[in-house]
Amino acid sequence: MRRITFFLLATLAGLVGLFSYRTSLGAAIPRPGQALASPAPQPTRFADGQVVDGSAVTTDYGVVQVRVVFAGGRIADVVTLQVHTVHEHSLVLNDFALPELKQRVLAAQSADVDTVTGATATSRAYLDSLQYAIDQAHRA
Amino acid sequence: MSTLPRRAWVEQLMGMPVSLHLRGPGLAAPPVAAAVEAVFALLRQVDAVFSTYRADSDVSRVRRGELAAGGAHPWVAEVAELCEQARERTGGWFDAMLPGPGGAPRWDPTGLVKGWAVEAAARLLSGHDFCLNAGGDVVVATLPGRPPWRVGVEDPLDPSRLAGVLPLAAGAAATSGTARRGAHLFDPYHGTAATEVAGVTVTGPSLLWADVYATAVAAKGATGLTLLSGTGYEALLIEPGGRRHTTGRFPGAV
């Protein structure tokens, strides 16, 4: 369940500015593969009702594609477009993982935070953390 | 709602994720990249000297008796002195002498090195509007006219949620607790794992001391908040049952 959540987060984060936070009106869209020294991405405003679809990503659990709906410059909803699972076990995982992801995205966004303090995050726990999502949204 | 440009850089260092966020115009300029690289380079060097996981680090060699303390990197003596100060300032509740695998105490400055190193790295960012987060411990600085950084305090009882938000214009926030790594905190007076605190977040001017106090309070329990009296550091503490305590001037919304 944790791992599929991570895949969903990563999928989402790589394609759109996952979290809006206070910078939501001027959120930079991370460009996958962008080099460190490249120019900072231009601020982008997400219009009300704007829908951004991620590309389909193949994970260990199957093919995952997500759609993000914006309202007021913020993420209003996260929807899976396709989750083609490899086996039945993954179906169960997906049933749990997507609501968890959605809840996490919406909760963090409503709190409007720039960073998160917490007891020492191991590298593994980090991949499943709010801080990871924030970092991904602003990665150069 | 801010429209400040912002960029983030992340590296895994000292066994934890270190993320640096900068705000403002000109973040693509070469001097910015150089400052960012200097921060990560310093932390890599600290790891090479202090890591207890690396057999070739100075600290590992000192522990095995292969290197005299005086022959180690000068940082080791500096940190040893700070560990002693930390023990005194916390009435013994911060202690770098931790039980080793056989139960015998051995010197492990890891709990102080992180705050010390990250604070030193943050000094390399003087003049920048930054937020440096190393495994959940945070140092920020804000340029004039800019909003404070909003630091979410992870809920130790449910790490996918926030227990509160702490606006921080300058200074540090550090959190200790049992949420992430299980009962890794050690009560130096009773020789057992401390469990009375799910998480404690301490904020104040220096990350080193915020971190030391967070560790000490987590070891002592809710009564440990009195250690902060008159220090200029404030805290939010959450017990395993969910009960919350704050010091008088804790600045965040909880």
Side-chain angles (χ1 to χ4, degrees), chain A residues 21-26 28 35-41 43 74 103-104 107-108 111-123 125-126 129-131 134-136 138-140, chain B residues 1-2 4 6-10 12 15-17 19 21 23 28 114 131 133 135-138 147-154 159-162 165 173-177 180-181 201:
Chain A
Y21 299 104
R22 63 167 46 256
T23 55
S24 58
L25 292 181
L36 252 181
S38 63
R74 296 175 153 263
Q103 176 195 38
R104 200 170 295 196
D112 194 23
V113 296
D114 293 308
T115 193
V116 177
T117 179
T120 308
T122 60
S123 299
Y126 168 69
S129 71
L130 297 178
Q131 184 63 42
I134 296 172
D135 289 340
Q136 289 304 309
H138 294 281
R139 278 295 279 274
Chain B
M1 197 67 74
S2 167
L4 273 175
R6 176 168 166 183
R7 287 184 86 184
W9 293 261
V10 185
Q12 296 287 330
M16 65 190 172
S19 72
H21 289 231
R23 299 188 299 195
K114 177 181 166 187
C131 173
N133 184 325
D137 290 342
V138 178
W149 292 87
R150 289 174 58 81
V151 180
V153 178
E154 185 181 270
S160 70
R161 294 178 172 277
L162 298 175
V165 179
T175 300
S176 277
R180 285 290 193 195
R181 283 184 166 166
T201 295

Side-chain angles (χ1 to χ4, degrees), chain B residues 37-55:
Chain B
E37 176 47 32
V39 165
F40 289 122
L42 177 62
L43 295 176
R44 278 192 289 269
Q45 200 186 348
V46 168
D47 195 39
V49 172
F50 286 98
S51 177
T52 53
Y53 293 94
R54 293 167 62 156

Side-chain angles (χ1 to χ4, degrees), chain A residues 8-89:
Chain A
L8 286 168
L9 271 170
T11 305
L12 192 54
L15 294 158
V16 296
L18 173 54
F19 282 78
S20 305
Y21 299 104
R22 63 167 46 256
T23 55
S24 58
L25 292 181
I29 300 182
R31 294 172 189 162
Q34 203 167 32
L36 252 181
S38 63
Q42 290 303 304
T44 301
R45 180 176 176 136
F46 297 108
D48 269 2
Q50 186 174 344
V51 171
V52 178
D53 291 347
S55 53
V57 173
T58 306
T59 72
D60 289 356
Y61 298 94
V63 178
V64 177
Q65 185 180 20
V66 293
R67 164 175 290 173
V68 177
V69 183
F70 289 88
R74 296 175 153 263
I75 296 174
D77 201 4
V78 182
V79 187
T80 31
L81 294 181
Q82 49 172 315
V83 186
H84 293 161
T85 49
V86 218
H87 47 72
E88 206 171 311
H89 181 55

Side-chain angles (χ1 to χ4, degrees), chain B residues 2-97:
Chain B
S2 167
T3 54
L4 273 175
R6 176 168 166 183
R7 287 184 86 184
W9 293 261
V10 185
E11 276 195 31
Q12 296 287 330
L13 288 166
M14 302 158 77
M16 65 190 172
V18 177
S19 72
L20 171 59
H21 289 231
L22 297 178
R23 299 188 299 195
L27 295 180
V32 171
V36 170
E37 176 47 32
V39 165
F40 289 122
L42 177 62
L43 295 176
R44 278 192 289 269
Q45 200 186 348
V46 168
D47 195 39
V49 172
F50 286 98
S51 177
T52 53
Y53 293 94
R54 293 167 62 156
D56 62 342
S57 75
D58 285 30
V59 164
S60 294
R61 290 166 64 211
V62 169
R63 279 174 156 192
R64 289 196 304 268
E66 296 167 15
L67 182 67
H73 193 287
W75 285 343
V76 176
E78 184 181 340
V79 162
E81 168 59 25
L82 286 166
C83 284
E84 187 50 27
Q85 278 185 38
R87 201 180 56 80
E88 287 168 11
R89 279 208 209 181
T90 61
W93 287 95
F94 177 95
D95 198 335
M97 293 304 289

